[in-house]
């Protein structure tokens, strides 16, 4: 039965990464492909209608982990507490910037929320990449199934490792920083026109 739950959770996680990953990528490219406020609004409009729908998949992942594999959820929250806290804040800030960024026609207001939008998407790519790298490496657990991690490591070959170690965490973070912008660029070419659409 646990294998079935792992299969369900893995499928939902893949769908979430595929759907919301394009929004991460488009958000990371927000300042690079859009030069004027009108072009930036065009990027936000491409993401705008469905960004909250895609986050339903992330909520379902955690719900199914808690329901089907509660020890995994307990270990994940214990070991990845700071990273999960940062992911939650980045998702909140990304949603706020999408919702309120264009409500006031002021360059300072819009510039601030554009910065929050780009920064939160970059940080999400780094954190999700580091999480994927740590899952590939394996998460050390004690006899009770608990894991206690440092956020960063001593960056040596031996010794304590953390979420952002030199081999898996940081390299997979760079992989996320290269994968999601490519995914977002593909999405923007489908949903935009004019200078934003041009390669």
């Amino acid at each position: 039965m646990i294998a079935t739950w792992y299969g369900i959770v893995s499928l939902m996680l893949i769908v979430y990464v595929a759907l919301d990953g394009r929004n991460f990528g488009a958000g990371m490219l927000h300042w690079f492909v859009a030069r004027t406020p009108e072009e930036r609004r065009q990027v936000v409009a491409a993401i705008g209608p469905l960004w909250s729908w895609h986050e339903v998949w992330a909520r379902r992942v955690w719900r199914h982990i808690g329901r089907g594999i509660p020890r995994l959820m307990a270990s994940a929250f214990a070991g990845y507490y700071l990273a999960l806290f940062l992911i939650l804040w980045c998702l909140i800030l990304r949603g706020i910037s999408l919702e309120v960024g264009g409500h006031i026609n002021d360059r300072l207001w819009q510039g601030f929320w554009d910065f929050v939008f780009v920064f939160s998407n970059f940080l999400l790519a780094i954190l999700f990449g580091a999480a994927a790298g740590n899952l590939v490496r394996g998460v050390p657990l004690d006899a009770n199934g608990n894991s206690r991690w440092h956020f960063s490591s001593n960056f040596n070959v031996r010794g304590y490792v953390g979420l952002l170690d030199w081999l898996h965490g940081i390299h997979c973070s760079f992989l996320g920083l290269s994968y999601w912008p490519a995914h977002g660029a593909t999405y923007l070419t489908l949903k935009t026109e004019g200078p934003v659409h041009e390669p």
Side-chain angles (χ1 to χ4, degrees), residues 32-35 39 42-43 46 184-199:
F32 304 105
V33 299
R35 305 280 186 224
E39 292 172 0
Q42 189 178 6
V43 172
T186 305
Y187 180 65
L188 287 177
T189 58
L190 294 173
K191 291 291 185 178
T192 60
E193 55 188 21
V196 179
H197 173 80
E198 298 300 325

Side-chain angles (χ1 to χ4, degrees), residues 104-123:
I104 297 175
N105 190 16
D106 180 66
R107 290 184 63 186
L108 185 61
W109 174 268
Q110 292 176 354
F112 171 75
W113 288 112
D114 285 342
F115 169 78
V116 170
F117 181 58
V118 173
F119 178 76
S120 60
N121 282 296
F122 265 99
L123 192 54

Side-chain angles (χ1 to χ4, degrees), residues 15-112:
V15 171
Y16 172 68
V17 168
L19 292 177
D20 212 18
R22 65 188 188 189
N23 297 339
F24 295 159
M28 293 167 71
L29 295 173
H30 185 64
W31 274 350
F32 304 105
V33 299
R35 305 280 186 224
T36 65
E38 292 76 18
E39 292 172 0
R40 290 181 181 157
R41 293 298 107 199
Q42 189 178 6
V43 172
V44 170
I47 299 169
L50 299 175
W51 71 269
S52 59
W53 293 11
H54 299 153
E55 290 182 1
V56 171
W57 289 100
R59 291 192 291 270
R60 290 291 181 189
V61 166
W62 285 111
R63 182 176 179 185
H64 282 77
I65 288 175
R67 180 179 294 166
I69 321 163
R71 291 189 69 187
L72 173 64
M73 186 166 193
S75 298
F77 271 96
Y80 288 94
Y81 183 77
L82 180 58
L84 290 171
F85 188 74
L86 287 173
I87 287 172
L88 180 62
W89 270 106
C90 286
L91 290 172
I92 290 170
L93 289 174
R94 186 180 71 139
I96 291 172
S97 63
L98 282 171
E99 291 296 329
V100 304
H103 283 195
I104 297 175
N105 190 16
D106 180 66
R107 290 184 63 186
L108 185 61
W109 174 268
Q110 292 176 354
F112 171 75

Side-chain angles (χ1 to χ4, degrees), residues 154-165:
N154 58 4
F155 297 103
N156 290 328
V157 178
R158 295 194 174 121
Y160 70 89
V161 294
L163 296 175
L164 292 175
D165 69 323

